[in-house]
Amino acid sequence: MYNFLIIESDERVLDLLTQGLGNEFDANIITEFDFDSVEQILNTESVDLVIVRNSFELNMRDIQAAKLLMNLVYDLEKGPPIIVLGEFEFVGQHFDSLPDRFRIEELYRTVIKVLEITPEQIQHFKLPDYVSLAIENFFLIDHAPCDFYIKIVSVDGERFLKRINSQESIDREVIEKYQNNRVRSFYVKKEDHPNLLNHLLQQSLEKIVKVGQSSKSIHEINSETYGISQNLIDAIGVTEHTIRLANASIASMVKSVRGSRNLKSMLEELLSNPSSYAYKRNYLISALCCELAPLMEWGSGDQLDLQIEKMTFFSFFHDIFIKEEQHLKIFSNQQVKELDLQTSELVLNHANKAASLIQSFPRTPGGVDLLIKQHHGTTSGVGFAQNFTTNISPMAIAFIVVEKYAYHILEMKSDDLLSSDKKMEIFNKLYAEFSLPSYRKIVESLEKISIS
Ligand SMILES: [Fe+2]
């Protein structure tokens, strides 16, 4: 089996290339965009081929990925062959390259040439009759380029049922309906697979190129990628850069928890359901925390990056044990009394449980467990504070206010989201609830961000 390393920061392109190359060459795909890890992989694992994007933006920094790779490989005794995606020039090291907007067949052909794969070997990599593609990919499609099937498994074996006809128009709600019914992938006939991949790839690549030229399409990319309505993003007033930063931070968190099966599966469950309340609320919280961070004197440069990383973990893991929307909307011990015994035990202890879970994973940014413990204002991680105090970390204070704000935003009717009057009603509630200066300061900052 081949080992391919793909260095690319765009999750969607990575997904498509992983699926395409994995299927076509029966290859094991390693993906990475952090160069310390790339160096480690090249030194410790046997890599048959590296595919690298010419350059990409990461945490608002321009990373010259292909150039960095060439320098790394130059130091190796025998480096793997390299295919660069996008225009690139480099003297002193051999590589193959493809244009910015390449077709999947061009990549396949280049891989075959570079690895000198024979027609006989290609015969071995036979695709199954139906090939799966994760359902999230279909949010980017407005009409079906081919027939889509779902797989039914019964005692008689597996069957594929056609659900969407070629050329049929698709809207977001249709896909969400399947997603809510726990459909994780659609299937297409193997002969349609390259066409479908190309269809999706061209859209993603075009956006990468466009973003390189202008920042205008950042909104477009991110609202699609994360399934958050643009109205919500506009309502909370965070900037395009912040959304990009929040997305990069989420992507990096996803990578970082790969080492823990437990954390990985819990996070995956949360992120795979963008229409859920938990997802939307946590995403809004993390985006707001990214926007607030530079205003909070939490440091600058690397220090600020670290705080943002911390807040992203905090946002997505603090309520990880609570599955029901109604339980995520509980903010007092009084409300807990209305629950059955088992649920009330869970709700009262969810902060403590999540803190212990996160503490068990060594790659979590330091201090997140303590923040999670304090996210309902208590220092013990049990229950809800009757009165807010300043005995907790300043970051936990900011989080408490941000979470309540996100709660109110999600309770709004979508038509009201851009109404300044309606948003002022929310801020008045927040001012009434949070009277201590350190809490009030956060309300003021949120107001400035949202109503300007
Ligand atoms: Fe909570």
Side-chain angles (χ1 to χ4, degrees):
M1 191 189 241
Y2 289 115
N3 270 332
F4 294 173
L5 169 62
I6 310 182
I7 306 169
E8 159 71 88
S9 68
D10 185 281
E11 288 281 315
R12 191 161 292 276
V13 173
L14 264 182
D15 263 8
L16 295 171
L17 294 185
T18 300
Q19 295 189 46
L21 291 163
N23 278 324
E24 192 72 16
F25 297 101
D26 190 23
N28 173 44
I29 312 286
I30 311 163
T31 61
E32 196 47 77
F33 53 73
D34 172 76
F35 268 83
D36 287 339
S37 307
V38 168
E39 185 172 13
Q40 202 183 354
I41 292 167
L42 289 174
N43 282 319
T44 55
E45 296 190 30
S46 124
V47 174
D48 300 295
L49 172 69
V50 185
I51 297 171
V52 60
R53 158 85 33 207
N54 49 1
S55 65
F56 47 74
E57 198 181 290
L58 196 63
N59 295 343
M60 289 196 270
R61 290 193 200 108
D62 185 32
I63 309 287
Q64 295 296 317
K67 195 172 163 197
L68 287 169
L69 177 73
M70 294 297 165
N71 289 329
L72 274 183
V73 170
Y74 186 79
D75 293 334
L76 295 176
E77 209 170 294
K78 190 180 177 311
I82 296 168
I83 300 176
V84 179
L85 306 177
E87 283 168 26
F88 178 65
E89 285 178 25
F90 192 86
V91 182
Q93 186 83 27
H94 177 75
F95 63 92
D96 283 76
S97 67
L98 289 173
D100 281 316
R101 295 185 185 91
F102 59 91
R103 291 184 62 80
I104 196 80
E105 299 90 330
E106 288 179 88
L107 178 60
Y108 293 163
R109 277 199 299 274
T110 313
V111 172
I112 291 169
K113 185 193 101 183
V114 169
L115 295 180
E116 297 172 354
I117 298 173
T118 63
E120 292 74 32
Q121 282 173 299
I122 294 173
Q123 285 301 314
H124 285 294
F125 314 136
K126 270 198 166 172
L127 287 179
D129 289 341
Y130 291 86
V131 186
S132 72
L133 206 62
I135 195 161
E136 289 73 27
N137 290 301
F138 295 84
F139 283 122
L140 280 180
I141 297 180
D142 52 14
H143 72 278
C146 57
D147 295 334
F148 295 161
Y149 298 77
I150 56 167
K151 183 163 85 171
I152 307 286
V153 182
S154 67
V155 279
D156 305 324
E158 54 186 38
R159 283 178 306 141
F160 292 88
L161 299 181
K162 196 198 284 186
R163 277 288 170 261
I164 297 173
N165 292 312
S166 177
Q167 298 312 316
E168 209 174 288
S169 62
I170 301 176
D171 61 29
R172 195 170 191 93
E173 276 175 30
V174 173
I175 305 295
E176 274 175 1
K177 219 178 270 173
Y178 282 102
Q179 209 174 27
N180 292 339
N181 283 324
R182 303 199 163 272
V183 172
R184 296 280 173 256
S185 304
F186 277 123
Y187 288 77
V188 298
K189 287 191 170 161
K190 69 174 169 191
E191 55 273 26
D192 291 331
H193 191 235
N195 264 343
L196 175 62
L197 270 188
N198 269 327
H199 190 85
L200 292 163
L201 198 57
Q202 294 320 308
Q203 285 176 325
S204 298
L205 291 175
E206 190 155 328
K207 277 172 189 156
I208 289 180
V209 175
K210 267 196 208 157
V211 170
Q213 291 161 350
S214 125
S215 63
K216 276 191 181 151
S217 36
I218 291 172
H219 249 51
E220 205 185 330
I221 288 185
N222 293 306
S223 53
E224 276 174 5
T225 309
Y226 286 93
I228 291 282
S229 94
Q230 191 61 53
N231 256 3
L232 278 174
I233 290 174
D234 290 340
I236 58 171
V238 297
T239 64
E240 293 169 356
H241 271 304
T242 298
I243 288 295
R244 206 166 166 73
L245 189 62
N247 291 348
S249 188
I250 295 169
S252 138
M253 171 178 66
V254 168
K255 281 210 150 186
S256 144
V257 303
R258 281 193 308 204
S260 158
R261 193 180 291 176
N262 219 353
L263 258 62
K264 179 175 174 271
S265 68
M266 290 175 111
L267 185 61
E268 268 173 6
E269 192 187 331
L270 179 62
L271 294 181
S272 66
N273 195 357
S275 55
S276 70
Y277 180 79
Y279 179 100
K280 281 188 215 160
R281 194 206 52 179
N282 294 352
Y283 185 85
L284 289 185
I285 295 175
S286 71
L288 282 163
C289 287
C290 285
E291 184 80 30
L292 276 179
L295 312 174
M296 291 292 119
E297 295 157 11
W298 289 341
S300 56
D302 287 350
Q303 227 177 344
L304 188 61
D305 289 349
L306 196 68
Q307 309 299 11
I308 286 174
E309 192 191 351
K310 227 187 224 188
M311 291 305 261
T312 306
F313 268 80
F314 188 9
S315 308
F316 281 89
F317 280 102
H318 70 292
D319 278 345
I320 197 85
F321 286 103
I322 298 191
K323 303 292 177 203
E324 300 288 328
E325 178 175 333
Q326 75 226 55
H327 301 151
L328 291 168
K329 295 179 178 174
I330 291 177
F331 290 98
S332 72
N333 292 332
Q334 200 57 35
Q335 288 170 285
V336 178
K337 287 185 185 149
E338 291 156 25
L339 304 171
D340 63 60
L341 198 63
Q342 202 184 354
T343 316
S344 64
E345 199 272 334
L346 171 74
V347 173
L348 287 175
N349 289 302
H350 75 277
N352 233 346
K353 271 184 86 171
S356 307
L357 171 80
I358 211 87
Q359 200 182 15
S360 68
F361 180 57
R363 286 184 68 182
T364 313
V368 177
D369 54 325
L370 188 72
L371 291 170
I372 290 183
K373 230 182 202 181
Q374 299 177 344
H375 85 266
H376 287 297
T378 71
T379 47
S380 62
V382 179
F384 299 79
Q386 306 284 17
N387 294 302
F388 291 115
T389 67
T390 49
N391 292 342
I392 56 172
S393 144
M395 235 183 225
I397 291 178
F399 189 91
I400 288 171
V401 179
V402 168
E403 176 160 75
K404 202 54 183 285
Y405 174 53
Y407 158 78
H408 286 304
I409 288 282
L410 288 171
E411 291 293 294
M412 280 176 102
K413 289 197 203 106
S414 58
D415 288 349
D416 292 340
L417 282 170
L418 298 178
S419 149
S420 298
D421 290 348
K422 295 280 178 191
K423 272 193 278 178
M424 250 349 274
E425 286 175 21
I426 294 182
F427 286 112
N428 289 336
K429 281 183 201 162
L430 295 175
Y431 281 123
E433 183 174 3
F434 300 109
S435 53
L436 288 174
S438 47
Y439 289 78
R440 199 185 158 83
K441 194 178 138 201
I442 310 295
V443 184
E444 284 165 359
S445 299
L446 290 173
E447 187 188 341
K448 247 181 248 160
I449 293 168
S450 169
I451 303 177
S452 52

